[in-house]
Amino acid sequence: MVVRKRSFIKTFLFWFFIALVVIFVAYPFAYMVSVSFRYDSDAFDPGLIPENPTLTQYAQLLGLQESIRQQMSEEEEQLMKLLESLPEEQREQVLQNIQSSRRRESFPFLRWFGNSLLLAGLSALTSLIIGIFGAYSFSRVWYPGRTLVQRGVLLVYLVGGVILSVPLYDLFVRIGLTNSGGTSMFALYIIYIIQTLPVSMYMLGNYFRTIPESIEEAALIDGSTRIGTIMRIIIPLSMPAIITVFIYAFMIGWNEYLFASIFIRPYPGAYTLPVGLREIFFSEHAVWAKMMAASVLTAVPVIVLFMTVEKYLTAGLTAGGVKE
Amino acid sequence: MQRFRELSPLKKKEATFGWKLVSPAIILIGLFILYPVLYNIYLSFFEVSLTPGVPNKFVGLQNYKELLTDPTFWNSFGITMLYVLITVVGSILVGLGIALLMNKEFPGRGIVRALILFPYVAPVISTVFAWQYVLMPLNGPLTILLSNLGIMDVTKDLVNDPNNAFIVVSFYSIWKNFPFIYLMILSRLQSIPQDYYEAADIDGANGWQKFHHITLPELYYVIGSLVLLRGIWNFYKFEEVYLLSKEARTLPIYLYEKAFTGLPELGVAAAIATVLFVVMMVLISIYVRKVLKW
């Protein structure tokens, strides 16, 4: 080994580039976090460190504190007093008006968060289960037409979501899956499964091939069924790949905007995070601090998930066969 | 290939089992991917009606004619090609540079490596808001920084100006997607045997020569495949472009607005999708033959 002493300039340049990389990567995140700890009125104060740090944005988003929008204005409170003298029916009417106008202005972050969690989680789980059996089939079992199946799964890479948006929308309108929030969410559930299924199968298939077949054969000789060996041998041994695929599929559902905006736009109760946040962003102004807090809360679950399995993730990604 | 009925009973059982396992996946993919692709081509010849009871009207090549004579379409087409070119080249250069940097040991490497994955991992919607904040005209910290450096005017709205929105969107795409490239290249770099470099050292090769004659040839196929993958993905990219700035009028945005905003023209949108698909297929087949030599 030839040992060469690194010159001072080289070391300096090296650290300079490392610093550049860190700034390049972290710049927008730094502001996102910083602004999320400010009051809306301080959102554009210069500097990264907030002068009057506050947790109020987070508390409001998480429903721990009433936002100004939810608090009654003085006018409304006076109205409430007047209401007490009104007859029952009229009072109901006015109350409903007040409530509906307030609901329109509120920021149901937790609701959207829950919707996203439900949709992304369920579709990733379903895709994983179907994917495990599918991948096992084309990586371990021989049958005529297997190559066709493998190639077909790869071919699906060439079809982007945008291309499917028109025919799928038309299709789901015709089946009648777009006429309520619930059915539209079901349509999204199916779409998220098919968007993640090819990659689940491909990644899992690659992983299954690395498990020695002799382990399985031993179990088969001991009288285990094929399904039994999948459950007791393949699945436990593939846990790293399975977790990676789940998180990957989860991310796709968590990020998805195209289909969500097409299908659930008319049903605010069914909004997922991307659709909800974008609607809020364009409908109200001067909510920068709250938008940033919401962005942090949207990012944290996935970043934490990824970081805990970073090692597996890197291996899974680089094993080839990744789809966004 | 052997035919099914020529198989031995045991093999038959095995084959049936295999098909059973894979059938849910095949049915889903067939029903919701393959069929829609064909149905899309079919729709592109119709004036699609979304009113129940009113049938679609066959218009032949009318949608395509309308599309190909529309200057907005050609403009979008050009922007898309430029966007793909800039983002693919840019993210590969950035990813390669950073992978080379991270291939060396240094204190704190673990933290920097984890940090590098952030843009790729963080949801599009969050990072888009962060970039919109720093690029705000007048108030955005990056806008102020750039104007202090004399690069641009502080009143300039980078994000929402149709003239340059696509530059911001391209930059964002590079920032967001380079970690994927970086990961792939880094893992390939780490599998290059060290003795190649030791031998080159003995021959007195300098850093550039080692990079040019050892590293680059070893990376050829990884980079080749990455260009293909990123090319395909960026060609269809919707979320990252639309959410940051819908003023960057790439073809997917054009399609979305035709199909789902204002007066929906699903037939025309289907024609756009078909054109996108055909262009993509042609580009891929040329690329695979010429560059990857499959």
PDB file of all heavy atoms in Angstrom, chain B residues 79-99:
ATOM      1  N   ILE B  79     -40.538  21.507 -22.966  1.00  0.00           N
ATOM      2  CA  ILE B  79     -40.201  21.699 -21.552  1.00  0.00           C
ATOM      3  C   ILE B  79     -39.943  20.351 -20.877  1.00  0.00           C
ATOM      4  O   ILE B  79     -38.998  20.197 -20.109  1.00  0.00           O
ATOM      5  CB  ILE B  79     -41.330  22.467 -20.833  1.00  0.00           C
ATOM      6  CG1 ILE B  79     -41.376  23.905 -21.334  1.00  0.00           C
ATOM      7  CG2 ILE B  79     -41.126  22.449 -19.311  1.00  0.00           C
ATOM      8  CD1 ILE B  79     -42.473  24.741 -20.716  1.00  0.00           C
ATOM      9  N   THR B  80     -40.784  19.375 -21.213  1.00  0.00           N
ATOM     10  CA  THR B  80     -40.624  18.053 -20.604  1.00  0.00           C
ATOM     11  C   THR B  80     -39.263  17.452 -20.948  1.00  0.00           C
ATOM     12  O   THR B  80     -38.562  16.923 -20.089  1.00  0.00           O
ATOM     13  CB  THR B  80     -41.736  17.101 -21.082  1.00  0.00           C
ATOM     14  OG1 THR B  80     -42.975  17.752 -20.907  1.00  0.00           O
ATOM     15  CG2 THR B  80     -41.719  15.809 -20.308  1.00  0.00           C
ATOM     16  N   MET B  81     -38.907  17.546 -22.234  1.00  0.00           N
ATOM     17  CA  MET B  81     -37.630  16.972 -22.670  1.00  0.00           C
ATOM     18  C   MET B  81     -36.462  17.659 -21.958  1.00  0.00           C
ATOM     19  O   MET B  81     -35.534  17.004 -21.483  1.00  0.00           O
ATOM     20  CB  MET B  81     -37.464  17.134 -24.184  1.00  0.00           C
ATOM     21  CG  MET B  81     -38.351  16.216 -24.981  1.00  0.00           C
ATOM     22  SD  MET B  81     -37.999  14.514 -24.490  1.00  0.00           S
ATOM     23  CE  MET B  81     -39.287  13.629 -25.304  1.00  0.00           C
ATOM     24  N   LEU B  82     -36.544  18.983 -21.865  1.00  0.00           N
ATOM     25  CA  LEU B  82     -35.495  19.752 -21.215  1.00  0.00           C
ATOM     26  C   LEU B  82     -35.425  19.394 -19.730  1.00  0.00           C
ATOM     27  O   LEU B  82     -34.346  19.215 -19.156  1.00  0.00           O
ATOM     28  CB  LEU B  82     -35.818  21.250 -21.375  1.00  0.00           C
ATOM     29  CG  LEU B  82     -34.631  22.191 -21.460  1.00  0.00           C
ATOM     30  CD1 LEU B  82     -33.719  21.773 -22.589  1.00  0.00           C
ATOM     31  CD2 LEU B  82     -35.123  23.625 -21.677  1.00  0.00           C
ATOM     32  N   TYR B  83     -36.603  19.279 -19.124  1.00  0.00           N
ATOM     33  CA  TYR B  83     -36.692  18.935 -17.705  1.00  0.00           C
ATOM     34  C   TYR B  83     -36.051  17.569 -17.447  1.00  0.00           C
ATOM     35  O   TYR B  83     -35.234  17.421 -16.528  1.00  0.00           O
ATOM     36  CB  TYR B  83     -38.168  18.933 -17.279  1.00  0.00           C
ATOM     37  CG  TYR B  83     -38.449  18.330 -15.929  1.00  0.00           C
ATOM     38  CD1 TYR B  83     -38.162  19.024 -14.756  1.00  0.00           C
ATOM     39  CD2 TYR B  83     -39.008  17.050 -15.819  1.00  0.00           C
ATOM     40  CE1 TYR B  83     -38.428  18.473 -13.517  1.00  0.00           C
ATOM     41  CE2 TYR B  83     -39.278  16.490 -14.591  1.00  0.00           C
ATOM     42  CZ  TYR B  83     -38.982  17.201 -13.443  1.00  0.00           C
ATOM     43  OH  TYR B  83     -39.238  16.638 -12.222  1.00  0.00           O
ATOM     44  N   VAL B  84     -36.378  16.595 -18.302  1.00  0.00           N
ATOM     45  CA  VAL B  84     -35.804  15.254 -18.122  1.00  0.00           C
ATOM     46  C   VAL B  84     -34.289  15.309 -18.277  1.00  0.00           C
ATOM     47  O   VAL B  84     -33.545  14.764 -17.456  1.00  0.00           O
ATOM     48  CB  VAL B  84     -36.423  14.244 -19.123  1.00  0.00           C
ATOM     49  CG1 VAL B  84     -35.702  12.911 -19.056  1.00  0.00           C
ATOM     50  CG2 VAL B  84     -37.900  14.056 -18.829  1.00  0.00           C
ATOM     51  N   LEU B  85     -33.843  16.009 -19.317  1.00  0.00           N
ATOM     52  CA  LEU B  85     -32.405  16.104 -19.581  1.00  0.00           C
ATOM     53  C   LEU B  85     -31.662  16.730 -18.390  1.00  0.00           C
ATOM     54  O   LEU B  85     -30.702  16.165 -17.860  1.00  0.00           O
ATOM     55  CB  LEU B  85     -32.183  16.946 -20.842  1.00  0.00           C
ATOM     56  CG  LEU B  85     -30.754  16.950 -21.369  1.00  0.00           C
ATOM     57  CD1 LEU B  85     -30.452  15.622 -22.043  1.00  0.00           C
ATOM     58  CD2 LEU B  85     -30.529  18.097 -22.343  1.00  0.00           C
ATOM     59  N   ILE B  86     -32.139  17.901 -17.941  1.00  0.00           N
ATOM     60  CA  ILE B  86     -31.463  18.610 -16.850  1.00  0.00           C
ATOM     61  C   ILE B  86     -31.469  17.769 -15.572  1.00  0.00           C
ATOM     62  O   ILE B  86     -30.452  17.637 -14.896  1.00  0.00           O
ATOM     63  CB  ILE B  86     -32.150  19.966 -16.571  1.00  0.00           C
ATOM     64  CG1 ILE B  86     -31.986  20.895 -17.768  1.00  0.00           C
ATOM     65  CG2 ILE B  86     -31.553  20.631 -15.328  1.00  0.00           C
ATOM     66  CD1 ILE B  86     -32.671  22.228 -17.587  1.00  0.00           C
ATOM     67  N   THR B  87     -32.636  17.204 -15.243  1.00  0.00           N
ATOM     68  CA  THR B  87     -32.729  16.505 -13.963  1.00  0.00           C
ATOM     69  C   THR B  87     -31.928  15.208 -13.975  1.00  0.00           C
ATOM     70  O   THR B  87     -31.311  14.866 -12.970  1.00  0.00           O
ATOM     71  CB  THR B  87     -34.188  16.191 -13.599  1.00  0.00           C
ATOM     72  OG1 THR B  87     -34.795  15.497 -14.687  1.00  0.00           O
ATOM     73  CG2 THR B  87     -34.950  17.446 -13.308  1.00  0.00           C
ATOM     74  N   VAL B  88     -31.928  14.498 -15.105  1.00  0.00           N
ATOM     75  CA  VAL B  88     -31.179  13.241 -15.146  1.00  0.00           C
ATOM     76  C   VAL B  88     -29.680  13.528 -15.063  1.00  0.00           C
ATOM     77  O   VAL B  88     -28.972  12.966 -14.219  1.00  0.00           O
ATOM     78  CB  VAL B  88     -31.524  12.420 -16.412  1.00  0.00           C
ATOM     79  CG1 VAL B  88     -30.560  11.270 -16.574  1.00  0.00           C
ATOM     80  CG2 VAL B  88     -32.953  11.906 -16.328  1.00  0.00           C
ATOM     81  N   VAL B  89     -29.208  14.430 -15.926  1.00  0.00           N
ATOM     82  CA  VAL B  89     -27.782  14.749 -15.917  1.00  0.00           C
ATOM     83  C   VAL B  89     -27.379  15.345 -14.564  1.00  0.00           C
ATOM     84  O   VAL B  89     -26.410  14.916 -13.935  1.00  0.00           O
ATOM     85  CB  VAL B  89     -27.423  15.728 -17.066  1.00  0.00           C
ATOM     86  CG1 VAL B  89     -25.994  16.195 -16.942  1.00  0.00           C
ATOM     87  CG2 VAL B  89     -27.654  15.056 -18.408  1.00  0.00           C
ATOM     88  N   GLY B  90     -28.176  16.309 -14.095  1.00  0.00           N
ATOM     89  CA  GLY B  90     -27.858  16.986 -12.838  1.00  0.00           C
ATOM     90  C   GLY B  90     -27.816  16.034 -11.662  1.00  0.00           C
ATOM     91  O   GLY B  90     -26.859  16.030 -10.881  1.00  0.00           O
ATOM     92  N   SER B  91     -28.848  15.207 -11.519  1.00  0.00           N
ATOM     93  CA  SER B  91     -28.881  14.352 -10.329  1.00  0.00           C
ATOM     94  C   SER B  91     -27.793  13.287 -10.397  1.00  0.00           C
ATOM     95  O   SER B  91     -27.258  12.872  -9.361  1.00  0.00           O
ATOM     96  CB  SER B  91     -30.264  13.728 -10.135  1.00  0.00           C
ATOM     97  OG  SER B  91     -30.608  12.962 -11.243  1.00  0.00           O
ATOM     98  N   ILE B  92     -27.424  12.874 -11.605  1.00  0.00           N
ATOM     99  CA  ILE B  92     -26.354  11.884 -11.692  1.00  0.00           C
ATOM    100  C   ILE B  92     -25.002  12.515 -11.347  1.00  0.00           C
ATOM    101  O   ILE B  92     -24.206  11.925 -10.609  1.00  0.00           O
ATOM    102  CB  ILE B  92     -26.349  11.198 -13.075  1.00  0.00           C
ATOM    103  CG1 ILE B  92     -27.545  10.252 -13.092  1.00  0.00           C
ATOM    104  CG2 ILE B  92     -25.032  10.462 -13.332  1.00  0.00           C
ATOM    105  CD1 ILE B  92     -27.627   9.318 -14.204  1.00  0.00           C
ATOM    106  N   LEU B  93     -24.761  13.732 -11.837  1.00  0.00           N
ATOM    107  CA  LEU B  93     -23.503  14.400 -11.501  1.00  0.00           C
ATOM    108  C   LEU B  93     -23.404  14.650  -9.997  1.00  0.00           C
ATOM    109  O   LEU B  93     -22.390  14.342  -9.359  1.00  0.00           O
ATOM    110  CB  LEU B  93     -23.375  15.718 -12.268  1.00  0.00           C
ATOM    111  CG  LEU B  93     -23.063  15.575 -13.752  1.00  0.00           C
ATOM    112  CD1 LEU B  93     -22.940  16.943 -14.409  1.00  0.00           C
ATOM    113  CD2 LEU B  93     -21.780  14.767 -13.963  1.00  0.00           C
ATOM    114  N   VAL B  94     -24.479  15.194  -9.411  1.00  0.00           N
ATOM    115  CA  VAL B  94     -24.463  15.473  -7.971  1.00  0.00           C
ATOM    116  C   VAL B  94     -24.322  14.160  -7.183  1.00  0.00           C
ATOM    117  O   VAL B  94     -23.506  14.060  -6.262  1.00  0.00           O
ATOM    118  CB  VAL B  94     -25.746  16.231  -7.549  1.00  0.00           C
ATOM    119  CG1 VAL B  94     -25.818  16.377  -6.044  1.00  0.00           C
ATOM    120  CG2 VAL B  94     -25.794  17.599  -8.206  1.00  0.00           C
ATOM    121  N   GLY B  95     -25.114  13.161  -7.568  1.00  0.00           N
ATOM    122  CA  GLY B  95     -25.067  11.877  -6.865  1.00  0.00           C
ATOM    123  C   GLY B  95     -23.699  11.231  -6.956  1.00  0.00           C
ATOM    124  O   GLY B  95     -23.168  10.714  -5.962  1.00  0.00           O
ATOM    125  N   LEU B  96     -23.090  11.298  -8.147  1.00  0.00           N
ATOM    126  CA  LEU B  96     -21.765  10.707  -8.340  1.00  0.00           C
ATOM    127  C   LEU B  96     -20.728  11.441  -7.499  1.00  0.00           C
ATOM    128  O   LEU B  96     -19.932  10.807  -6.785  1.00  0.00           O
ATOM    129  CB  LEU B  96     -21.384  10.770  -9.833  1.00  0.00           C
ATOM    130  CG  LEU B  96     -19.974  10.341 -10.206  1.00  0.00           C
ATOM    131  CD1 LEU B  96     -19.782   8.851  -9.924  1.00  0.00           C
ATOM    132  CD2 LEU B  96     -19.661  10.626 -11.667  1.00  0.00           C
ATOM    133  N   GLY B  97     -20.762  12.765  -7.549  1.00  0.00           N
ATOM    134  CA  GLY B  97     -19.799  13.560  -6.777  1.00  0.00           C
ATOM    135  C   GLY B  97     -19.884  13.245  -5.292  1.00  0.00           C
ATOM    136  O   GLY B  97     -18.866  13.000  -4.627  1.00  0.00           O
ATOM    137  N   ILE B  98     -21.109  13.228  -4.783  1.00  0.00           N
ATOM    138  CA  ILE B  98     -21.275  13.011  -3.353  1.00  0.00           C
ATOM    139  C   ILE B  98     -20.932  11.562  -2.983  1.00  0.00           C
ATOM    140  O   ILE B  98     -20.356  11.310  -1.920  1.00  0.00           O
ATOM    141  CB  ILE B  98     -22.702  13.411  -2.922  1.00  0.00           C
ATOM    142  CG1 ILE B  98     -22.854  14.926  -3.125  1.00  0.00           C
ATOM    143  CG2 ILE B  98     -22.980  13.036  -1.480  1.00  0.00           C
ATOM    144  CD1 ILE B  98     -24.182  15.496  -2.754  1.00  0.00           C
ATOM    145  N   ALA B  99     -21.223  10.624  -3.869  1.00  0.00           N
ATOM    146  CA  ALA B  99     -20.856   9.232  -3.587  1.00  0.00           C
ATOM    147  C   ALA B  99     -19.336   9.091  -3.495  1.00  0.00           C
ATOM    148  O   ALA B  99     -18.810   8.408  -2.616  1.00  0.00           O
ATOM    149  CB  ALA B  99     -21.409   8.313  -4.673  1.00  0.00           C
TER     150      ALA B  99
END
